[in-house]
Amino acid sequence: MTVKLVITALSLMFTLLLLENIPQAKAHLDCGNISIPYPFGLAPGCYKDDWFKNECNKITNTPTVFIPSIKAEVLNFSDYKESVTVKGPIKSSGNCPAWKRRSSTSSSNSSTLVNLTGSPFMFSSVSNRFIAVGCNTLGTITEDATLLIGCRSTCGKERGAIEWDDAGFCQAQNCCTTSVQAGLQVLNPSVQSLHKGREDDEDECKLAFLADGEWFGVLEDVRKVEGMEYVPLKLAWVSNFSRDTFDQETVSCGYSSDLMNPSPNTSVVTATECACNPNYQGNPYDPQGCT
Ligand SMILES: *[C@@H]1O[C@H](CO)[C@@H](O)[C@H](O)[C@H]1NC(C)=O
Ligand SMILES: *[C@@H]1O[C@H](CO)[C@@H](O)[C@H](O)[C@H]1NC(C)=O
Ligand SMILES: *[C@@H]1O[C@H](CO)[C@@H](O)[C@H](O)[C@H]1NC(C)=O
Ligand SMILES: *[C@@H]1O[C@H](CO)[C@@H](O)[C@H](O)[C@H]1NC(C)=O
Ligand SMILES: *[C@@H]1O[C@H](CO)[C@@H](O)[C@H](O)[C@H]1NC(C)=O
Ligand SMILES: *[C@@H]1O[C@H](CO)[C@@H](O)[C@H](O)[C@H]1NC(C)=O
């Protein structure tokens, strides 16, 4: 904390000198060719707290990054102003041929519950969309006694035909999408047929998943998801960085709509809130900040 304050207080020129003289502990920041940005990190002292601790799994040829605190596998740490993309579950029902070809570890039966309650992570409401694929299908994000959030699709005239809106999201026919509320931490997707009258509906492969809307927006064929083991899911995070520690000259922080109850007084910031000012580069959350 002292180091952080001292560096923040230094002039830009002095900070640059300092950076040149201190060799970067680059080895702690990378897992294979995935570079891990603060507050995430592999070694003690590199991550902010245990929630952001990572593991580098080098069992396979392409190392993968894992977040043990929430049992999530990282696909990508995007820009600092973005969130972290992890592998998200796909719920299916009916006859999904592609699922049978998969390894025995994944099946349509496996639990698709992701529970982030108590952690600083949440499903990004800004980035993700909930998607249900199938005709006459009801897909729900989570179900508790008071709330049923999801979407329902119709069958449309042509089997499997999908209508797209300008943003690349499917409309009610054979596929539907909805956004999620800010602060969502429990994902337990379910998918079911709305009526059993038509034989072809009952056996149809139906899917429900929460996924990065940008990824989904350019996906050409939603049926491709049938053969996937996971979808990219964006998580936002909060942490108790004090706003005062950010150098206003180099860093700007806004208020993220990913937070359920954004309070102008909160000392907590989310991953989507702070960014380097124009002409500065770096990681705003890192003690070295933007230079
Ligand atoms: C890492 O590098 C290898 C070899 O250049 C490449 O095949 C692989 O796709 C890269 N992985 C990522 C996550 O960028
Ligand atoms: C990963 O993040 C980088 C940096 O933002 C971005 O350029 C790249 O497209 C991302 N890769 C994937 C597969 O999303
Ligand atoms: C899935 O669940 C059903 C019913 O519980 C069971 O009959 C079936 O064997 C399970 N399939 C797998 C692959 O575990
Ligand atoms: C999620 O985890 C919290 C805290 O561990 C627990 O109280 C809650 O029941 C869990 N929710 C579900 C749906 O499992
Ligand atoms: C953030 O929380 C940690 C642990 O609870 C505490 O040690 C630290 O002082 C807090 N930092 C700020 C800026 O509030
Ligand atoms: C917000 O912070 C200001 C200055 O620290 C304080 O005077 C005010 O009471 C705070 N408001 C709330 C709602 O906490």
Side-chain angles (χ1 to χ4, degrees):
M1 196 49 78
T2 316
V3 175
K4 191 180 201 166
L5 290 174
V6 168
I7 290 178
T8 316
L10 290 173
S11 74
L12 172 66
M13 210 171 97
F14 203 83
T15 308
L16 285 173
L17 282 172
L18 206 71
L19 284 175
E20 271 166 19
N21 291 335
I22 299 173
Q24 299 269 310
K26 193 69 180 149
H28 295 300
L29 303 174
D30 288 349
C31 171
N33 42 10
I34 304 172
S35 65
I36 298 171
Y38 191 81
F40 295 93
L42 292 170
C46 293
Y47 48 82
K48 186 165 185 285
D49 56 51
D50 283 348
W51 289 109
F52 296 101
K53 179 185 170 178
N54 292 142
E55 278 170 13
C56 184
N57 183 346
K58 289 179 178 152
I59 293 167
T60 54
N61 283 340
T62 47
T64 52
V65 179
F66 196 69
I67 309 173
S69 65
I70 52 166
K71 298 186 188 72
E73 191 175 331
V74 173
L75 290 172
N76 203 4
F77 294 100
S78 43
D79 290 341
Y80 307 117
K81 61 177 167 15
E82 281 289 333
S83 38
V84 56
T85 310
V86 300
K87 289 186 174 179
I90 304 164
K91 186 72 178 183
S92 73
S93 78
N95 185 14
C96 299
W99 290 78
K100 290 177 187 159
R101 293 197 297 270
R102 291 184 189 181
S103 62
S104 55
T105 52
S106 66
S107 74
S108 52
N109 282 10
S110 65
S111 170
T112 49
L113 170 69
V114 184
N115 190 350
L116 303 173
T117 309
S119 86
F121 296 93
M122 65 195 97
F123 304 104
S124 170
S125 61
V126 177
S127 305
N128 295 309
R129 286 290 179 284
F130 177 75
I131 295 129
V133 182
C135 133
N136 258 330
T137 298
L138 173 69
T140 54
I141 302 167
T142 56
E143 207 171 339
D144 67 29
T146 53
L147 215 56
L148 186 71
I149 313 159
C151 66
R152 58 200 299 173
S153 67
T154 60
C155 284
K157 286 189 208 95
E158 203 181 319
R159 195 156 187 233
I162 285 169
E163 281 173 4
W164 300 91
D165 66 19
D166 291 342
F169 297 125
C170 52
Q171 291 177 334
Q173 188 174 302
N174 293 312
C175 175
C176 62
T177 63
T178 186
S179 53
V180 299
Q181 76 270 32
L184 183 73
Q185 288 190 302
V186 179
L187 170 64
N188 194 8
S190 78
V191 62
Q192 67 189 77
S193 185
L194 278 173
H195 77 99
K196 309 257 180 213
R198 284 168 57 160
E199 274 173 42
D200 56 350
D201 297 350
E202 280 182 47
D203 214 29
E204 178 199 44
C205 175
K206 299 179 189 299
L207 307 170
F209 50 92
L210 185 66
D212 178 11
E214 217 169 281
W215 167 82
F216 187 73
V218 296
L219 190 71
E220 278 164 21
D221 181 3
V222 291
R223 286 287 164 194
K224 274 188 186 157
V225 181
E226 282 177 21
M228 292 178 182
E229 289 195 30
Y230 58 84
V231 286
L233 174 62
K234 284 205 164 177
L235 304 183
W237 49 262
V238 293
S239 194
N240 67 341
F241 289 100
S242 166
R243 288 178 187 281
D244 302 337
T245 61
F246 293 105
D247 178 0
Q248 291 193 1
E249 181 164 337
T250 57
V251 179
S252 293
C253 295
Y255 294 94
S256 172
S257 41
D258 262 330
L259 267 183
M260 207 174 351
N261 295 309
S263 152
N265 266 10
T266 182
S267 66
V268 165
V269 299
T270 77
T272 49
E273 281 186 294
C274 300
C276 294
N277 284 336
N279 302 324
Y280 292 95
Q281 285 177 339
N283 177 349
Y285 302 101
D286 195 287
Q288 284 167 346
C290 305
T291 51

